[in-house]
Each structure stands twice: as C-alpha cells, then as structure tokens.
Amino acid sequence: MSADDVRAIERRTIAKVSWRLLPLIAVLYCVAYIDRTNVAFAALTMNKDLGLSSYIFGWGAGIFFFGYFLFEIPSNLILERTGARIWIARIMITWGIVSGLMAFTTGPTSFLVLRFLLGAAEAGFFPGMILYFTYWYPSVYRGRVISTLFIAQPVANAVAAIASGAILGMDGFLTLKGWQWVFILEALPAVLLAFVVLGVMTDRPAVATWLAPAERQWLDSRLNEERRDIENAGRLSLWQALCDRRVFVLSMIYFMAVTANYGTVFFMPQIVKGMDLSNLMTGFVSAIPYVIGTLGLIAWGYSSDRFHERRWHLIAASTVAAAGLVCAGVFGSSYWALMGMSFATIGIYGSRAAFWPMPSMFLTGTAAAGAIALINATGNLGGYVGPFVVGWIKDSTNSFESGLYFLAACAFAGGVITFFATRAAGAPEPVQSTAARQAAE
C-alpha cells in the first residue's frame, strides 16, 4: 500500500471516528458541566431564601470536588475494566438524579451533603473521557480532540448563564422557587442522554462495526505502535504511575489551573450582578467571557498540535489567564472588568488543550487510567479551594477584588511550575510513531 493510500485511510478513519464520537462526548460534558456549576446562578436567589452566606456558598460549591476526589481513581479503573459505554451511562444517570435532588435543599446542611454526593456521582466522567480518547486517537490528534471536549466548558457556561437566568423567572410556578426549577430542568438531560450513550458509544476500535476493515486495521496498528513506543521507553505499573514525580507535577499544575477556573465560574454571576443588571441580563452578560474563551481554546489546541509542543503553550495560556484576572480585579464590577474576565477565560481554557495530552506521553493502559484520574482528582480539589477562598475574602472585605488577585496568582503559579518543573520532572515530548513521522513527511 502506497503512502498516499495510507494517508487517505487515516483521513477517512479519523473523520469517521470524530463524527461518530466527538459531538456526543461534547454534549455529555456540556451537560455535566452545567449540572456542577448551575448552582452559581441558582445562588442569585437561593442564597437569600436559604440564608447562605458567601462563605457557606463557597464551601458548598467547592465540596463537590471532595466527593469527586475520593471516588475518581476507583471510577476510572472500573471504566478501564468494564468499558466506557456502560460505566459512563451509569455515571450520567446517578449524577442526573442527585442534581435534580438539589431542588429540595432546605438549608446549609442539605446543601453541603447534596453537593458532596453530586461530586461522588460524577467522579470518573472527565478522566474517563480523556482515557477514552487514547483508545481512539493517535497522539498527534489529541490536542485538537481535547480542545473539542473542552469547548463544552465555555459553551456550558454560556448556555447555563442564559438558560438559568430565564428559568429563574419561573419563580412561583407550581409553588416552586425559580432556583428549584433551575436544578430540576437542567438535571433531566443527563438521565435521558445516558440511554443515547448505551446506543451510540463504542468501547474500542476493534468492535467498531461502523469502521471499514482497513480503517479498523490502520487505527489499531497505529495506536498499538504508539503504545509500544511508550512502553519501550519504560512501562509503568499502576502503583509506579501513581508515585511518579511527573504525575505529581502535573497534578500541582492542574490544581492551580482549576482553582483559578472555578473561583471564577462560581462567582461570575455575582460579580456581573454588581453592574446592577436584572437576573436575565446577568445571564446574558455572564455568557460573554465564555464565548470569547472558546476562541482561545480552539486556537491553543490547533497550535499545540501543529507544532507538537505542549510546555510553552501551557505557560503562555497560564500567563494570559493571570493577566486577565488582575485586570478584572483592578476595574471591579464594570465592563472593563468583563473584558479582563474574557481574557482570563481565553487563558484558562487554552491551557487545557496543552495540558491534557501530557499524561499520555508517558502512560498507557491501567497506569494511564489511574494516573489521569489522580491528576484530575488532585487538580479538582482546586475547585474547592477557589470558591472557598473567594467566598471568604468576599465576606471579609465586601469586595471580589482581592479574591480575583488570589485567582490570578494561582493561574500564574501554574505557569511558573510548568516552567521550572516539567523539564525536571522528565515529561517527554509527544511520542511520534514511525507511521506518524512518515505521514508528517
């Protein structure tokens, strides 16, 4: 078979895989992200109804990630054994039910308990998707593919902002509060889509009847070759991977990035509300930074794959995020601050496209499943720290300014750790198989 024939099969196979899997996965992550962050919009009226201070709200918003942390690694290891199709469907049904139950929160205790259970229910979804991509995409495509997954984050934030602002207007319908309708209506898609997963998702290329035999053979051969290249450089056991210094470094980098991200996400509506806007307009205006952030995500993913480089792309994105958050803090509740938040989201989301291909540079199989889960679980503890600290600062100073400076420092710290520690930690350059190098030539 000529090189032109191989390239034609590659293009055709990747296109089929992408059209089959990426739209579904992006929608699933969009729904997951809405259900974990819609509490930010419910808080516009819920906090007063339930007597929740900014401190308690920040604690509850973040405690989600403790449940996530505790169950992340076991969930991803189960996915590796049972397959993504059944396990992802189970995750979605569970988190949809718990998310809907948030509508029946009666005070601080039930709020904290349900947020913790929501994190436990969703644990394993995101790292499961990152692991799933390694089953279907050669390394040269993963930056762009992960960018597609992360497009769901700003899209989810924009959709949640607009939809939740409108749903809050249902206050009093069937005797329920507007914030209760937010939880009920936005939980339904998760349960319904679980059945779509069972019908559409395929565990591995070897059982993909929708690929032609030549396409399955090419994809299996390419992925197996990349795995052999990685394992020949030193195959790690699960325990070795969990104790590997590179995994620790990546966990710390992600912790800083997630702290900046969720500290921003959970308080964005309240910051924008400070411009004296209605709930509906707060939703629309809060969507602007996330729409702009999508552009950064796409650009960083394309550039990172194009140049086969992750480290400097991650450093640049972290710096942009920090600069944007500093500007937002300087200008307070104003449209200039909104511009700063927009730059921050460009950097925050752009960093994901450069970061998440890194673990698969030196991990495969069960070691990859456990280590990716550990990185995501440890990093997502930042989802507790960010909202907690910003809420505490807001209650102490009656302003979000210092909280935004704290988030900026976290984003910048992620870039600093990347600069000094990734080289020392020995994270290798992306593995490029013989077939990939020939295709590039």
Side-chain angles (χ1 to χ4, degrees), residues 47-374:
N47 286 4
K48 183 178 179 181
D49 287 345
L50 300 181
L52 304 180
S53 66
S54 294
Y55 171 82
I56 292 295
F57 171 75
W59 189 15
I63 204 171
F64 166 96
F65 297 100
F66 274 103
Y68 209 88
F69 175 82
L70 293 175
F71 294 95
E72 187 90 320
I73 294 176
S75 181
N76 223 34
L77 293 177
I78 293 172
L79 183 147
E80 166 72 7
R81 288 179 176 274
T82 64
R85 175 176 160 271
I86 292 175
W87 194 245
I88 292 300
R90 194 286 305 163
I91 289 174
M92 293 180 64
I93 291 173
T94 308
W95 102 52
I97 292 172
V98 177
S99 183
L101 289 175
M102 286 289 300
F104 303 99
T105 303
T106 57
T109 300
S110 57
F111 177 61
L112 295 174
V113 169
L114 285 171
R115 285 292 296 177
F116 176 85
L117 291 177
L118 183 62
E122 194 193 315
F125 176 80
F126 174 78
M129 291 297 94
I130 297 295
L131 182 65
Y132 188 63
F133 285 150
T134 69
Y135 300 160
W136 288 93
Y137 288 96
S139 61
V140 71
Y141 294 99
R142 288 176 194 160
R144 282 164 285 180
V145 170
I146 290 171
S147 294
T148 303
L149 174 62
F150 270 106
I151 285 174
Q153 274 196 18
V155 169
N157 284 326
V159 170
I162 295 170
S164 300
I167 294 172
L168 285 173
M170 295 176 64
D171 193 63
F173 182 66
L174 297 179
T175 72
L176 295 176
K177 300 286 188 178
W179 61 266
Q180 291 177 299
W181 282 113
V182 167
F183 291 125
I184 292 170
L185 295 180
E186 293 179 0
L188 290 175
V191 177
L192 297 176
L193 283 169
F195 298 97
V196 178
V197 168
L198 290 172
V200 174
M201 188 172 278
T202 307
D203 286 331
R204 301 269 187 169
V207 295
T209 56
W210 42 271
L211 287 177
E215 294 163 350
R216 285 199 301 271
Q217 182 180 2
W218 173 83
L219 187 55
D220 267 334
S221 298
R222 177 73 171 271
L223 293 170
N224 287 333
E225 184 181 350
E226 289 193 353
R227 291 187 195 104
R228 285 194 299 270
D229 287 344
I230 293 171
E231 291 169 2
N232 287 340
R235 181 173 183 173
L236 300 179
S237 68
L238 173 61
W239 180 249
Q240 287 172 326
L242 296 179
C243 297
D244 192 284
R245 189 180 178 212
R246 291 167 293 186
V247 173
F248 172 77
V249 167
L250 292 176
S251 298
M252 292 303 100
I253 294 170
Y254 198 52
F255 175 84
M256 293 299 175
V258 172
T259 300
N261 179 31
Y262 283 108
T264 303
V265 168
F266 283 121
F267 285 96
M268 176 85 78
Q270 296 180 53
I271 293 171
V272 172
K273 183 73 172 177
M275 300 179 191
D276 294 325
L277 302 175
S278 67
N279 288 336
L280 182 61
M281 284 306 300
T282 295
F284 277 102
V285 173
S286 296
I288 293 173
Y290 302 120
V291 173
I292 295 174
T294 305
L295 303 178
L297 179 60
I298 295 170
W300 251 270
Y302 175 81
S303 178
S304 183
D305 274 355
R306 173 69 179 79
F307 293 101
H308 305 297
E309 198 284 324
R310 311 298 182 193
R311 180 171 175 263
W312 283 106
H313 280 78
L314 180 53
I315 293 169
S318 301
T319 304
V320 170
L325 288 165
V326 167
C327 289
V330 168
F331 292 109
S333 292
S334 68
Y335 287 100
W336 286 108
L338 190 68
M339 183 180 296
M341 297 289 263
S342 298
F343 275 102
T345 56
I346 288 174
I348 287 171
Y349 293 126
S351 69
R352 304 299 197 267
F355 177 83
W356 275 112
M358 287 182 169
S360 60
M361 294 178 191
F362 61 98
L363 296 166
T364 62
T366 302
I372 289 172
L374 177 62

